[in-house]
Amino acid sequence: MPYTRTDLAMEAFENTEGGAVPGVSVSHWETDCVQITEVLVTDNEAARELGKPKGSYLTLECPRLLERDPEARLATASLLTEELDRLLPRREGGAPVLVVGLGNRNITPDSLGPGVVDRTLTTRHILGAPCAAGRMNSVCAIAPGVLGVTGIESMELVEALVKALQPSAILCVDSLAARDSRRIGCTIQLTDTGIQPGAGVGNHRKPLTRESVGTPVISVGMPTVVYAATLARDAFAWLSSQSGDESPHEEALADMEHTLLSADIGEMIVTPREIDAIVQDAAGIIASGINRALQPELSDEEIAAMMD
Amino acid sequence: MPYTRTDLAMEAFENTEGGAVPGVSVSHWETDCVQITEVLVTDNEAARELGKPKGSYLTLECPRLLERDPEARLATASLLTEELDRLLPRREGGAPVLVVGLGNRNITPDSLGPGVVDRTLTTRHILGAPCAAGRMNSVCAIAPGVLGVTGIESMELVEALVKALQPSAILCVDSLAARDSRRIGCTIQLTDTGIQPGAGVGNHRKPLTRESVGTPVISVGMPTVVYAATLARDAFAWLSSQSGDESPHEEALADMEHTLLSADIGEMIVTPREIDAIVQDAAGIIASGINRALQPELSDEEIAAMMD
Amino acid sequence: MPYTRTDLAMEAFENTEGGAVPGVSVSHWETDCVQITEVLVTDNEAARELGKPKGSYLTLECPRLLERDPEARLATASLLTEELDRLLPRREGGAPVLVVGLGNRNITPDSLGPGVVDRTLTTRHILGAPCAAGRMNSVCAIAPGVLGVTGIESMELVEALVKALQPSAILCVDSLAARDSRRIGCTIQLTDTGIQPGAGVGNHRKPLTRESVGTPVISVGMPTVVYAATLARDAFAWLSSQSGDESPHEEALADMEHTLLSADIGEMIVTPREIDAIVQDAAGIIASGINRALQPELSDEEIAAMMD
Amino acid sequence: MPYTRTDLAMEAFENTEGGAVPGVSVSHWETDCVQITEVLVTDNEAARELGKPKGSYLTLECPRLLERDPEARLATASLLTEELDRLLPRREGGAPVLVVGLGNRNITPDSLGPGVVDRTLTTRHILGAPCAAGRMNSVCAIAPGVLGVTGIESMELVEALVKALQPSAILCVDSLAARDSRRIGCTIQLTDTGIQPGAGVGNHRKPLTRESVGTPVISVGMPTVVYAATLARDAFAWLSSQSGDESPHEEALADMEHTLLSADIGEMIVTPREIDAIVQDAAGIIASGINRALQPELSDEEIAAMMD
C-alpha cells in the first residue's frame, strides 16, 4: 500500500483499495445533491491501519458547491446542522458551547477556522438580549492562532479557556489536507474524535480530544490543500498503472520527492489559485450549519440580524 | 472643581489647580527632549480625590514625537526601557512576562495595545533558538480583544491565561483618554497600579491589577482621544475665564452636553484626523522600549532580525 | 453670523438662522421614517453666502438608522434609489457609470467611499454573463485613494480614467463633516454639484464637477465627523445664549481654538467611538441604494448573488 | 520536448535540454552569493521556440535568501539596483518613473507586486520637500489590481495613467510561475520585454510593453508558484528517466492531468505553505533594490525616514 497523507478518513479507507478492513464499516448514501459516506472505526488495529483514531467519520461531498449553487449550499448547510445536532451533547444549564477556529488567518488555505469563527453567532455575553431572551443557547468562539496571540500554542490557549469557561462541548473547525484535489472546497468531514497531532494544514502539535480536555470535542473540517508530495506520487502511480508497470518502490518515490520538492522553504502544497474565495465561501456554509445547530429556536433572519 | 475625565494621573492632579493635595507628591524633571512627571498617590483619600488608585504614575512627554523626530523617538524609547526595568520584578526561572495589548484592533484610537503586541518579540516558544540560546527571557503576548475572540471578555481571557502560564509579571498596554488634546500621541504614562474599571478608550469593565490576578501588573498607556464632552466643557471654561465670568454651573454644562452631544451613537470622542498613523507610530516606539527592557542581553539588531 | 464648517447645505442654511436668503429655496417633507430637505441654490450671491455652489441639495435624515432598524434601512435605501434615478442621466449605449469612492480606506471616518465601492456591483467586465445578459447596465468603480496608489492625486486618477472610459455619469461617494454631531451616521446628502475643493473629511484639493471633467457628477455623502473647533464654538455659543450673554467675538473664539486645539498633529475631529461600525453600516445602505438605481432590471437577489 | 510552463526565460532554455539554440545566447556568472544567468533572445524563431519575446532576461538566484540571511539580502538588492540602473533610461526633466505592482493583493502568491508598491518611496507629490529638495527623482506607484478597482482591467488603468502622467519609464513587478519549485522565493528575473499576455500568476490578458504603451517597460518578477500540472509531469518524467523508460506520450500526460487535476475550481498551483511570509520578505528586498536605483542621491537612511 503506497504511503499517502490525507486528513479524510474516507480517503484513508479508499487507500486500502476498497477491500474490507476488519474493524471498519463504511456506508454510503445520497440526499439531494450531497453524497454522504460514514466510516466507523471500531477497533484499535483498524485505527492503526487507517491512521485514524477509533470513532465516527461522516463525509459530505457536493461538487456543486464549487459552482456556488445556492441550492447546493443550502442542502449542505442543512445536512451539517442535522449531523451536528446528532453529535452535540444536549445543552444543559448555562454551560456554553465553545467554537474553536484552528489555523492561521494569514495563511490562506489554513484560514478556514478563523473564517468560521468570524461568522459564528456568539451569545454568551448577550444571553439576556431583549430580542431573543430565553431562546438562545450560550455560545462563545475563539480563533487562537490569530496574530494577536504569540508565544502561546493554540491548544494551550484552548485548554486554559476550557478550564475557565467549562463548556458543555467544543466544536473545532480546521482546514484539512486531502489526497484527491477534486475534494478541495466541496467536502466536509465531521467527526467525534477531535483533533489529532499532525493533522490539519497547520499540523497541530498537541491533541484536542475528549481525553485531553475532558469535554466532548466535535470537529468539522474541509480540505483546502493536497500535499505536493502526494500529488507527485499519485501522478506516478497513475501513469504506472496505465502502462501496466508495477508500482514504483518507495525508495524511488522518496528520491523523486527529494529531487523535485526539497526546497528549504517548508512543505509544498497544491491548492487552487482561487483558494481565498473558496475558503471564504466554505466558511459561510459551515458557519450557517453551525449557527442553526447551536440556536435551534432562532430563525435564519434573527441569526442574520444579530450577526450584523 | 469642574468634573473632567482623564486617564492621566498628572492631568487629574493639574485639575486640582496645582495646589498641594495631601497624600500626593509630584516631581518634574527633564532629560534630552522628554519632560518627566512623577505623581505618587500615597493615601486613600488622595486616591479618591484624584480618582486614581494609590501607586506611582510616571508620565513621559515629548511633543517632538509628533514630528517623527528620530532622536526624540530614540530618547523616549530609552527612557521607557529604563523605567520599565525599574518597575518590572526581577525575572526568576523560566516564568514568562505576559504582554497584554488591550483594546479593539478595529477601533482605530483603541488599537494601540494590539499594535504593540504585533511588534513585541515573543520568545516563550523559541527559548532554545540557536542564535540566542541562554540570553533570552521568556515573553509571550496576547491581544485579547481582537475579532478572533467573541463572547469572552478580555479580562476573562487574561485571567485564564495567567492561571495557565503563571507569568512573573503582566505588562499591559492600552489607549488612554486625556483632557488636553495636545497630549495625544506624544505622552506615555507608566504605572504599577494596573488597569482600573472604566479606564481606557475601550472602558474596561473589570480590573486587571495585582489584586485581581495575583501577579504584578505594570501598565503603559498613551492618550489617543479626548472625550468630546471634556473638550466642550473646557472650551466654555476657558472663554468664561477670559471674560472674567464665573465658571458655569454643572447643570448648564450637563444641559449643553445633552443638547450638543446626545446622539444615540455612543460616546463622542475628539481625535486627530491622522490618528491611524499616530497610533502605528506610537506602537513602534512603545514596543521598542518594551523589547529592550525584556531582552537586555539582545542587541537592537538581534531583536530586529528575530522579529522579521 | 458665526463661522461654522459643514459640508451639508441644509446646515449652511440653518446657520443663516432660518431667515429667508434670496436665491435659496428650501422645502421639507417626510415619508415613512425619513425626513427630506431640499435646498436649491439658484444664484451666485446665495452660493457665496452659503459657501455652496449653485445646484440642488437633497438631504435624507433618519435617526432610526443608528438603531440599525431594518425597516429604516430599507426605506432610506429606497429613497436614495429613487432620487439617484431622478438625478442620473438616462443611460445611452454602452457607456458605463463610474462610481468613485473618495477618501482613505485607512482613516476610518474617511473610509465611507471605499466601503461603498467594495459593495458596488460592477458589471463592465461581465456584461455578457449568461445569468443577466441584456438586463445589466455597465458599471465600474474605483477607490482612488487606497494604499495601492501613491504619488498620484485621487482627482488626477479619476480624470485619467474618465478620459479612458468615457462614462455617461460619475457617481461620487464621500465622507462629510457636519456641524451637528447628531447627524453623523444617519444623514445622506445628494447633490448634482459634484465635489468641491476643501470639502469632505479628506479635504479634496481639486474639484470633481461637470465643469472639471465634462461628465455629469452626482455626489452622495454622509457626515462621519464634526470638526472639534466647530463643537467648541457651538458649546460656547449655546452656553452664552442660555445665560443671555452676547455671542463671543471671533477673536476670543480663535484664541480658544489656538489654546485648546493647536496640537501639531493635524486637525482635530469629533466622531463617535463606534465610527468603524457606523461607516460599514452606512456603506451597505448607500451601496444598496446605488446598486438598485444602476441596475433597475435586476432583483435584489440577483444583485446579491452576483456580488458574492 | 515535453511541454512545460514557466515565466523564467532561463527555465525555458533549460527545457531545450541545454543544447545550443540558434538566436539564443546564455551566459552565467556569480558574485558573492548570487548566481546570475543572462539569456539573450535575438531572433524571432528563437523567441517562438522558447515562448519568450526577443530581448534580454537576467536571472539572479540566491538560495540563501530563503534562510533570510541579511548578507544575501543585501547582496541581492544591490545587484538588482545595478541592473535596474543599467536598464532604466536616463531620467530627463521631471517625468516620473511609474512603478506598477501587478497582481491581486488578496491572492497570496499573486500579491508580490502590490507588496512592492507598498514599500516603494513615491516622491512625485513631495519633490519640493525641504529635506531632499533637488536630490529626488520623481516616482509614483500603483497597484491596479487591488480591491479598490473593479470592472476595469489592470492594463486599462495603467494605460490611462501613462497617458496622464507621461512617465519616462514603467517598472512592473509581478509574481511568476516557475518550473522548478526550488526557485520559488529566491530567484529574481529582470527583463526589458515588459509583460506578455498569459504570463504571471494572475495570467494577464493584455500586454504591457514598450509597443503597447510607447514607454520603456522594465519588468521584475519572482516565482511564487509552480503549476500543479507541471509538477505532476516532472514527477513522471523524473521517474521514467530513473527507470530507463522512455518519456510518456503527451496523450498519457494529458489523461493523467485530467484525472488527477480536473477539478472545477480553476487551476491548481504548488506553493510553499509559508508563501505569505516569503512574499512579504521578497517584496522588501525588491523594493529596496528599486528605491536605491530610482533615488541614487538619497542614502538608505533618508529613504527609510521618508518611507515611515
Side-chain angles (χ1 to χ4, degrees), chain B residues 45-60:
Chain B
E45 187 156 346
R48 208 159 33 245
E49 183 163 5
L50 258 59
K52 300 290 161 215
K54 279 198 297 186
S56 148
Y57 300 84
L58 200 78
T59 311
L60 314 180

Side-chain angles (χ1 to χ4, degrees), chain C residues 233-250:
Chain C
R233 284 161 177 269
D234 276 1
F236 189 81
W238 190 87
L239 286 163
S240 300
S241 74
Q242 291 305 97
S243 60
D245 293 356
E246 57 186 302
S247 276
H249 293 293
E250 175 57 29

Side-chain angles (χ1 to χ4, degrees), chain B residues 230-253:
Chain B
T230 303
L231 173 68
R233 284 160 177 270
D234 276 1
F236 188 83
W238 189 87
L239 287 163
S240 300
S241 73
Q242 291 305 98
S243 60
D245 294 353
E246 56 185 303
S247 275
H249 294 294
E250 176 56 30
E251 205 177 307
L253 289 165

Side-chain angles (χ1 to χ4, degrees), chain C residues 85-136:
Chain C
D85 188 55
R86 218 168 41 83
L87 286 172
L88 283 166
R90 290 308 93 205
R91 263 72 71 206
E92 329 119 2
V97 172
L98 174 61
V99 178
V100 176
L102 291 166
N104 186 331
R105 198 183 284 282
N106 296 311
I107 294 182
T108 304
D110 197 24
S111 64
L112 178 69
V116 169
V117 159
D118 291 347
R119 292 165 175 83
T120 297
L121 176 62
T122 55
T123 57
R124 181 169 170 270
H125 53 311
I126 52 160
L127 280 179
C131 48
R135 294 187 295 128
M136 286 192 292

